[in-house]
Amino acid sequence: MSKEYVLVTGGAGYIGSHTVVALLEAGRNVVVVDNLSNSSEEALERIKKITKVDDIPFFQVDIRDTAGLEKVFDAYPTITSVLHFAGLKAVGESTQIPLEYYDQNVSGTINLTKVLKSRGIKKFVFSSSATVYGDATRYENMIPIPEECPTSGESPYGRTKLFIEHILRDYTLSIPGTYTALLRYFNPMGAHPSGLMGEDPRGIPNNLLPYLAQVASGRRRELQVFGNDYDSRDGTPIRDYIHVLDLALGHLAALKKLEEVEAEEKAATEAPTKGFCREWNLGTGHGSTVLEVIAAFSKAVGKPLPYRIVGRRAGDVLDLTAKPTRANTELKWKAELSMDQACEDLWNWTSKNPYGYSNEPDSTDETPASIKA
Ligand code: NAD
Ligand code: WQD
């Protein structure tokens, strides 16, 4: 029998590349589709170095390009499942170019799903986000956040994730023998412990850890802490930071779960009447404040990192901490790695690759020459 493949869209990106490593290490065969709009092919070379697997078919294709996707499936007709990471992900940018977000994320996913349907590919793991919960503190007893917490799209980006969840649920339920996992990630951080692979943001980082990493490597002067007047232990907001390696393993666990459900349905005497779609939080269940993260990362770097308290950032919420019990029990998956480990791995990656995969300073870097006194 010819070998089965998992298609990974966005497989050259931050979470996708770590998940490709996890899949290969578990003995899966992987095909990667990525338009490289926010990544570099070098990530795939690093994956080969880490896993010693050379055969990683790669297609530089946009998920909105039907003909491009058809070629992928023509070349690899034994793709049996899809992990779908490809998309745009910056909350702030999504308010500036919302149509681009709806087009790439929502239309892109619809396009991909149509092709999957036409090819009879029934297992789909989707990268959703804790952002679909909006401000969970508006309800009583919803911290830590369970999957049952009512959802709310608070930015164009967040709405794309929410709309995609609805679309995939409707689609999946309409076709018996179709299996979809909606994985709501909390705040990924860290890098591969080899120092060969990590997050490589373009331009000025939007997120806390990549920004802090660039402060540590001297590319940025100081971190701005967005507000210390929240109702938390030190006044800064709380997030559930999860090591990207744990997150990657969560995908493998979700894929196995879909395969299990499929096998159970096939063994049952009665055929299913609708498809299977389920949401799972991927988080640790533990919340850390911004100041706690700064302290943990400073410890890994071995020196205090400069930061300044400024006003709140629009749209930020007090607390996004996961209740991961459903994933712990149903997926038999649990985040194992500590924040200290994630900080060490992030610093290992950053110190070895201060300019990411390109090795070139970015034009936005606050290098001594560009810093105005
Ligand atoms: P990333 O930007 O590093 O990876 C996304 C990858 O998709 C990139 O390699 C990019 O080139 C590719 N891509 C983007 N648009 C594409 C398109 N139209 N066609 C083909 N390829 C395309 O981001 P990431 O942090 O690895 O995030 C992966 C997924 O997880 C995204 O869907 C994101 O929304 C979701 N997510 C991320 C976070 C986070 O904090 N990083 C949290 C929750 C959810
Ligand atoms: C974390 C904390 C900031 C930068 C976003 C998306 C979410 C998900 C993850 C994709 C907050 C503070 C940050 C800085 C700071 N992505 N901060 N100074 O906002 O929790 O989540 O990324 O789905 O959907 O909304 O992540 O890393 O931007 O912020 O003080 O320069 O760090 O206020 O409390 P966030 P983040």
Side-chain angles (χ1 to χ4, degrees):
M1 205 180 104
S2 49
K3 51 185 188 176
E4 291 188 359
Y5 285 86
V6 181
L7 175 68
V8 180
T9 75
Y14 173 46
I15 307 170
S17 59
H18 287 83
T19 305
V20 171
V21 168
L23 288 165
L24 294 172
E25 285 177 344
R28 305 286 184 139
N29 305 299
V30 174
V31 175
V32 171
V33 162
D34 199 303
N35 67 359
L36 301 181
S37 61
N38 195 38
S39 54
S40 138
E41 219 174 326
E42 178 59 22
L44 300 172
E45 294 307 313
R46 304 286 177 99
I47 293 173
K48 291 177 189 170
K49 257 194 188 161
I50 292 169
T51 59
K52 314 249 184 319
V53 175
D54 270 331
D55 179 25
I56 309 174
F58 169 62
F59 294 81
Q60 185 171 352
V61 166
D62 192 296
I63 55 165
R64 294 165 297 176
D65 170 7
T66 307
L69 289 178
E70 297 286 7
K71 280 189 193 144
V72 177
F73 292 106
D74 286 344
Y76 290 91
T78 53
I79 292 172
T80 54
S81 51
V82 176
L83 269 54
H84 175 35
F85 296 91
L88 303 179
K89 62 161 184 176
V91 174
E93 183 186 63
S94 77
T95 64
Q96 304 302 313
I97 49 167
L99 282 182
E100 198 58 32
Y101 271 69
Y102 287 114
D103 188 37
Q104 299 224 22
N105 292 5
V106 181
S107 305
T109 302
I110 291 175
N111 193 50
L112 173 68
T113 310
K114 280 184 176 170
V115 177
L116 298 182
K117 182 169 184 247
S118 75
R119 299 276 173 164
I121 296 162
K122 303 275 179 79
K123 290 178 292 274
F124 193 115
V125 178
F126 174 62
S127 297
S128 190
S129 168
T131 197
V132 300
Y133 294 117
D135 184 3
T137 58
R138 69 195 186 283
Y139 301 104
E140 271 189 36
N141 301 323
M142 284 292 177
I143 301 289
I145 307 173
E147 287 82 356
E148 295 79 14
C149 179
T151 52
S152 158
E154 305 272 329
S155 69
Y157 167 71
R159 282 187 279 280
T160 68
K161 291 291 173 188
L162 205 47
F163 296 163
I164 295 169
E165 283 201 3
H166 286 304
I167 291 165
L168 290 179
R169 198 177 294 110
D170 288 342
Y171 163 71
T172 305
L173 295 181
S174 76
I175 307 182
T178 305
Y179 311 90
T180 297
L182 305 173
L183 301 183
R184 295 173 175 166
Y185 317 155
F186 283 68
N187 288 54
M189 68 175 286
H192 194 270
S194 61
L196 286 168
M197 227 169 58
E199 190 168 9
D200 181 18
R202 303 243 158 124
I204 303 173
N206 298 295
N207 299 113
L208 177 61
L209 271 309
Y211 200 103
L212 203 50
Q214 293 192 5
V215 172
S217 63
R219 294 177 62 182
R220 315 259 158 221
R221 273 181 300 191
E222 63 178 8
L223 177 83
Q224 298 193 344
V225 174
F226 300 136
N228 66 349
D229 57 350
Y230 288 88
D231 185 16
S232 72
R233 43 196 176 265
D234 60 24
T236 61
I238 299 166
R239 297 288 180 273
D240 185 334
Y241 296 90
I242 173 169
H243 197 302
V244 68
L245 292 191
D246 277 330
L247 194 55
L249 289 174
H251 291 77
L252 198 58
L255 182 57
K256 282 186 188 157
K257 176 72 182 178
L258 299 185
E259 291 166 347
E260 248 174 61
V261 177
E262 181 184 38
E264 279 163 19
E265 286 187 356
K266 281 193 174 148
T269 43
E270 284 190 25
T273 54
K274 58 183 187 196
F276 172 90
C277 182
R278 188 97 167 129
E279 313 78 19
W280 286 286
N281 284 341
L282 295 185
T284 68
H286 176 75
S288 304
T289 68
V290 176
L291 295 182
E292 287 164 354
V293 174
I294 296 173
F297 190 58
S298 300
K299 191 172 88 184
V301 175
K303 63 175 186 195
L305 298 171
Y307 68 86
R308 186 163 49 96
I309 309 285
V310 298
R312 289 185 178 200
R313 180 173 68 177
D316 274 351
V317 299
L318 163 65
D319 195 339
L320 275 175
T321 302
K323 182 169 184 188
T325 326
R326 186 189 281 186
N328 298 161
T329 53
E330 296 181 358
L331 304 183
K332 300 176 198 72
W333 165 91
K334 190 171 185 297
E336 303 281 359
L337 300 172
S338 65
M339 152 107 27
D340 283 347
Q341 183 67 54
C343 287
E344 270 175 38
D345 293 337
L346 173 60
W347 181 232
N348 186 34
W349 154 253
T350 307
S351 49
K352 288 181 176 155
N353 309 266
Y355 299 107
Y357 293 116
S358 75
N359 257 333
E360 295 280 324
D362 188 86
S363 61
T364 67
D365 280 7
E366 296 170 343
T367 55
S370 67
I371 293 174
K372 295 187 181 61

